[in-house]
Amino acid sequence: MTRFYITTPIYYVNDVPHLGHAYTTMVADALARFHRSVGDDTRFLTGTDEHGLKVEQAAAARGLSPNKLADQVVERFRDTWVQMNIANDDFIRTTEPRHKQVVADIWRRIDAAGDIYKGAYEGWYCVSCEAYYGEGDLVEGKKCPVHKREVSWLSEPTYFFKMSRYGERLLEHFEKNPGFVQPEGYKNEVVSFLKSGLRDLSVSRTTFKWGIPVPGDEEHVIYVWLDALTNYMSALGPIGGELHRRYWPATCHLIGKDILKFHAVYWPCMLLSAGLPLPETIFTHGWWTVRGEKISKSMPATRVDPNQLAEDIGVDALRYYLLREVPLGLDGDFTYESLIGRYNAELANDLGNLVSRSLTVAAKFCAGAVPPAHGPLATSGRHGEIAQVARQVIGETEGHLRACAPSRALEAIWRLVREANRYVNDTQPWVLAKDPQRKEELDHSVRIALEALCCAARMVAPVMPKTAEKILALVGMVGARGQEAIARWPVADRFGQELELGAPLGASTILFPRIDEARQAALLERWIPTDARAGEPPAAAKPSPAAEKTSDGVEVTFEEFGRMDLRVARVLSAEPVPKAKKLLVLTVDVGDGTPRQVVAGIAEAFRPEELIGRSVIFLANLKPATIRGVTSQGMILAAGADAVLGLSAVDRDLPPGTRIR
Ligand code: MSP
């Protein structure tokens, strides 16, 4: 049996769950549910990261012990996951004994491999931040960039992990396993980081105590990332134990792009040293902003509360929106308006209509019970067409979910939903019902509409489990039959034969009541905190007047030109933007360690693969904007006023980030 072990990052307990955490966990949940439905031996893990300075400080600020804070916040996470209908098989806390044992075990293995040595970590230290800074980070002479306070040169004894020994082996692993880090752009980012050479890693601290002690030297606590990453293994019990043998290596670590280096460099190096197999895939997703802004505690408008949204529009609607709106891997922008827009168009209209119309015609013309299909009609004309679409969609959706592309999967399912709505329109059961000679045709078309609905419900179940269950009950799949239908992925060749002849149907119902303008206003009132309601659309969405005016012949001053931060950027990845013929979404390396995502209107002039590795001129300080739901942070310069005629370039190989003046 195929094994599928998927994990989310474990969340810090210094913060309560927000949209970003909910997103990762929902994606992992949907993928786990899908893999269970295709019969894989599935395990899905999430949990909390409870050690480290960050948590210690957050606890102190609230006058609590770190333990107490963790105990409180962990409940918020657990409750949220129940509300979000997350079906995780296990939940790990890094303060649990089972975890601490495995962390100590990994430490000992790394030590036994000769990869731990004692030294001193030196650097400029800011006491307020409790963090070391590099020379280049300091401002105004020798001041910390955050607090603008004098830093001091400190040296802390520390154990180092000889990570530098593993760079080559890890690069080889990347070569032999092209799917190790996905999507491609993130892989390229890690590979170029590895090629620049690895340094040894400081893996213990002495300046605070909230952590797991270093075996044999209680003065030190183990570096929080070594501690945290081990959760993926410690949740399976002792190394070599039954669960470990069954599920390790993990199939997929699903992570946000912020923690890529830890997962794709540190963790594999530790595992190589400890003599343990590496995870199969590290799948990296992008970053959600809220109305163009980064989610942050100090910006109330960006603190989207998933629990509140789920309460108001239903958890399935929220899961649908988050998984459908942005292809996994890309950055996206969350707005309440787009949430409501998709809710109305795709749930209330497309899916909601199919539910109410197919059940209405069944109640009216088929006595509210599943009617018989009529064999000879199944392959003919309109009836044959929809069956073909359904069979295709089942295969395609399965492929997308196997490839961790839930947005594409939902797009495919909606092709069937829309096709089924058209089918009801085209076959017109209400007309067929007027002619007793056409009873068989009437029954068949009602049956196929119901079958299409049932099929769509089963495919949508990993993303919208409650909705799927409701729909299946409505089409007469109740009790064990309903459970079974959800638990098993539909088989393409069985399309049209899944329902039970004569099974009583539910009454036509409105699953997703339309959100009209008045309700929308009321919801926005509730969702957007009063102190964040400026009445203005987000700055990023507004074109700047200057940009509108600019045309040939307008002079700019030297200062104006100087405000443009032009840089050499290297293209790491390029992909089409779904349903936008002219657009490509690129990630580019601008030399600051954080690749940028940009949407560029160059798809008609370049194929994505032609762009990877090219150096272009990049406007780095253009205000971020959202284009077709995809975040764009900058602009690639190209030649051509309307059509793109060529791409900007520099005439020699210069490192990304080089300034252009
Ligand atoms: N504790 C570490 C992870 C250790 S894993 C061994 C950590 N925790 S966190 O609480 O900060 O959560 C990080 C994860 O939350 C991100 O990797 C991402 O999966 C998710 N997100 C948090 N904010 C997010 C967005 N704004 N957008 C998308 N996902 C985000 O880092």
Side-chain angles (χ1 to χ4, degrees):
M1 192 196 281
T2 314
R3 217 176 32 86
F4 184 77
Y5 174 32
I6 186 166
T7 62
T8 70
I10 47 171
Y11 304 107
Y12 284 128
V13 288
N14 67 324
D15 196 3
V16 295
H18 62 57
L19 184 80
H21 307 130
Y23 176 63
T24 315
T25 315
M26 284 174 183
V27 172
D29 184 56
L31 296 175
R33 285 176 187 267
F34 163 72
H35 279 272
R36 285 186 202 112
S37 82
V38 291
D40 293 346
D41 178 15
T42 302
R43 192 167 182 88
F44 165 26
L45 173 72
T46 188
T48 42
D49 189 353
E50 306 190 357
H51 289 132
L53 192 55
K54 205 170 169 122
V55 174
E56 191 177 272
Q57 283 179 340
R62 291 173 179 77
L64 295 172
S65 67
N67 256 321
K68 187 97 193 135
L69 174 70
D71 285 348
Q72 285 177 4
V73 178
V74 81
E75 289 314 313
R76 295 283 298 270
F77 276 96
R78 284 190 202 274
D79 291 349
T80 302
W81 302 153
V82 170
Q83 197 186 357
M84 299 298 131
N85 206 359
I86 303 297
N88 49 307
D89 298 291
D90 196 357
F91 187 104
I92 181 112
R93 300 180 59 177
T94 54
T95 44
E96 290 174 56
R98 61 170 172 161
H99 172 73
K100 294 181 188 171
Q101 279 157 17
V102 177
V103 173
D105 193 0
I106 295 254
W107 178 283
R108 284 193 206 97
R109 282 166 175 260
I110 296 178
D111 195 15
D115 287 336
I116 300 267
Y117 64 95
K118 204 167 183 179
Y121 194 85
E122 293 184 323
W124 295 107
Y125 196 74
C126 167
V127 185
S128 304
C129 304
E130 288 246 46
Y132 282 102
Y133 285 102
E135 192 82 43
D137 301 322
L138 303 178
V139 294
E140 302 165 20
K142 293 268 174 286
K143 288 188 178 164
C144 130
V146 179
H147 299 90
K148 313 277 177 330
R149 284 174 53 161
E150 288 289 336
V151 290
S152 37
W153 182 257
L154 270 195
S155 143
E156 183 187 0
T158 187
Y159 288 98
F160 281 97
F161 163 48
K162 285 189 194 161
M163 194 160 74
S164 55
R165 277 179 69 179
Y166 293 95
E168 285 300 318
R169 272 177 69 186
L170 189 53
L171 272 171
E172 271 168 37
H173 185 83
F174 271 87
E175 261 162 43
K176 288 195 192 125
N177 301 273
F180 182 48
V181 168
Q182 296 180 41
E184 186 85 8
Y186 292 111
K187 176 178 93 180
N188 297 343
E189 185 188 326
V190 178
V191 167
S192 51
F193 177 77
L194 284 174
K195 284 188 175 154
S196 70
L198 286 184
R199 285 198 290 184
D200 290 349
L201 183 69
S202 156
V203 285
S204 74
R205 303 290 308 271
T206 52
T207 50
F208 66 94
K209 287 268 159 267
W210 182 233
I212 301 175
V214 165
D217 189 349
E218 306 257 314
E219 287 298 299
H220 291 247
V221 292
I222 294 178
Y223 177 44
V224 69
W225 272 102
L226 194 156
D227 168 346
L229 288 159
T230 304
N231 88 87
Y232 303 130
M233 197 177 275
S234 66
L236 300 174
I239 296 172
E242 193 210 322
L243 276 181
H244 178 95
R245 290 200 311 275
R246 180 159 161 197
Y247 290 110
W248 194 260
T251 321
C252 177
H253 290 324
L254 181 70
I255 59 164
K257 65 176 184 178
D258 53 322
I259 53 177
L260 178 59
K261 187 168 71 186
F262 302 104
H263 283 80
V265 180
Y266 294 9
W267 180 225
C269 287
M270 289 172 197
L271 290 168
L272 286 173
S273 166
L276 293 162
L278 309 195
E280 283 164 26
T281 305
I282 295 160
F283 202 102
T284 310
H285 68 69
W287 210 237
W288 282 95
T289 47
V290 174
R291 301 179 155 244
E293 305 281 351
K294 206 167 170 244
I295 298 176
S296 120
K297 276 191 196 165
S298 54
M299 299 261 297
T302 65
R303 303 286 303 174
V304 174
D305 178 359
N307 303 80
Q308 179 74 57
L309 291 179
E311 220 167 85
D312 290 334
I313 60 160
V315 66
D316 279 0
L318 179 62
R319 290 172 63 116
Y320 174 80
Y321 168 77
L322 290 176
L323 269 63
R324 172 67 188 85
E325 178 76 356
V326 178
L328 194 67
L330 299 185
D331 292 339
D333 190 40
F334 175 93
T335 65
Y336 296 104
E337 292 77 0
S338 64
L339 169 66
I340 293 174
R342 274 202 193 272
Y343 175 101
N344 278 339
E346 288 153 34
L347 298 178
N349 267 4
D350 295 337
L351 184 59
N353 273 349
L354 183 60
V355 171
S356 60
R357 300 172 76 208
S358 54
L359 290 169
T360 303
V361 290
K364 260 197 174 154
F365 309 123
C366 306
V370 174
H374 186 61
L377 286 175
T379 49
S380 72
R382 201 64 192 84
H383 312 295
E385 275 167 25
I386 186 172
Q388 203 178 340
V389 171
R391 284 194 294 265
Q392 250 174 24
V393 165
I394 293 173
E396 258 174 51
T397 308
E398 180 177 336
H400 291 317
L401 288 172
R402 285 192 188 279
C404 297
S407 171
R408 297 223 169 108
L410 290 168
E411 205 176 321
I413 300 169
W414 254 246
R415 249 180 48 224
L416 175 61
V417 170
R418 292 185 185 123
E419 168 68 10
N421 274 324
R422 276 194 300 272
Y423 173 80
V424 177
N425 275 349
D426 296 348
T427 54
Q428 298 186 303
W430 46 92
V431 173
L432 298 175
K434 290 190 183 139
D435 183 352
Q437 304 280 312
R438 303 182 80 183
K439 175 70 175 141
E440 277 175 347
E441 210 180 331
L442 168 66
D443 281 348
H444 188 82
S445 62
V446 174
R447 169 73 180 254
I448 292 303
L450 293 167
E451 290 274 1
L453 177 59
C454 165
C455 176
R458 292 175 68 187
M459 288 190 288
V460 96
V463 178
M464 301 204 285
K466 286 187 183 158
T467 303
E469 226 172 280
K470 280 190 208 157
I471 294 178
L472 288 171
L474 289 170
V475 296
M477 288 211 168
V478 281
R481 221 185 144 84
Q483 291 307 322
E484 169 81 359
I486 289 210
R488 274 188 312 107
W489 187 252
V491 176
D493 288 341
R494 285 193 49 81
F495 176 77
Q497 309 156 47
E498 297 280 6
L499 298 175
E500 191 184 3
L501 180 64
L505 298 164
S508 170
T509 179
I510 296 180
L511 280 189
F512 297 99
R514 209 184 152 70
I515 300 177
D516 59 19
E517 274 181 28
R519 176 138 168 77
Q520 169 161 351
L523 287 174
L524 293 181
E525 180 89 359
R526 177 148 60 198
W527 291 341
I528 306 177
T530 5
D531 49 348
R533 233 173 279 145
E536 287 246 339
K542 271 190 302 184
S544 84
E548 279 173 355
K549 264 194 292 159
T550 305
S551 66
D552 291 345
V554 172
E555 288 179 340
V556 292
T557 64
F558 192 68
E559 284 71 30
E560 281 169 330
F561 171 70
R563 291 215 301 272
M564 294 204 280
D565 186 7
L566 293 167
R567 303 282 179 144
V568 174
R570 182 162 302 142
V571 180
L572 296 171
S573 72
E575 276 179 59
V577 173
K579 296 211 175 123
K581 268 200 336 245
K582 296 191 174 170
L583 302 181
L584 290 181
V585 57
L586 314 178
T587 46
V588 294
D589 177 359
V590 221
D592 59 2
T594 314
R596 304 271 195 100
Q597 176 175 299
V598 268
V599 177
I602 55 175
E604 286 176 334
F606 295 96
R607 276 176 289 126
E609 58 276 17
E610 291 177 74
L611 296 165
I612 295 171
R614 279 171 79 149
S615 285
V616 291
I617 299 181
F618 181 68
L619 177 58
N621 62 340
L622 185 70
K623 264 196 178 171
T626 304
I627 302 166
R628 302 279 177 117
V630 178
T631 306
S632 184
Q633 307 163 293
M635 183 194 279
I636 281 174
L637 302 195
D642 296 320
V644 175
L645 305 173
L647 211 55
S648 61
V650 278
D651 69 349
R652 63 204 67 190
D653 196 20
L654 293 173
T658 307
R659 241 180 210 291
I660 292 175
R661 306 265 31 204

